[in-house]
Amino acid sequence: MRIVVDLNKCQGYAQCAFLAPDVFTMHGNEALLYNPRAADEERDAVARAAAACPVKAITVEGLYQGAPAEDAWVAAGAARELSDGR
């Protein structure tokens, strides 16, 4: 899984840092630091974080093993399903 955050879009809402604190962290009020190669155990948390980003600044490639590269929209759908219990 490869994570890319468009730091020009990021507004520092920190939803990602709340949902996946081992991957995303805020440095000060607006600077986001993140691990672009998060551990496999973080997949669900990363999917939720990408879905929660109000400005859709997070892109996740290869979110699911064996699947072609996925983007934040697929991650958003997966996170909605996980959070809705569907």
Side-chain angles (χ1 to χ4, degrees):
M1 160 175 62
R2 180 173 172 257
I3 302 165
V4 177
V5 177
D6 183 339
L7 296 174
N8 291 316
K9 278 186 178 180
C10 178
Q11 297 294 307
Y13 290 105
Q15 295 303 306
C16 58
F18 290 119
L19 294 168
D22 292 335
V23 179
F24 304 95
T25 189
M26 296 302 294
H27 183 70
N29 290 333
E30 295 181 9
L32 176 68
L33 302 175
Y34 68 100
N35 177 359
R37 298 280 183 189
D40 287 342
E41 298 80 35
E42 297 294 330
R43 286 182 190 281
D44 289 344
V46 168
R48 287 184 184 101
C53 181
V55 296
K56 302 298 180 209
I58 303 170
T59 302
V60 183
E61 297 174 352
L63 184 60
Y64 300 103
Q65 295 175 354
E70 305 289 343
D71 63 20
W73 297 108
V74 173
R80 266 189 244 105
E81 289 177 12
L82 290 171
S83 66
D84 292 346
R86 291 186 260 164

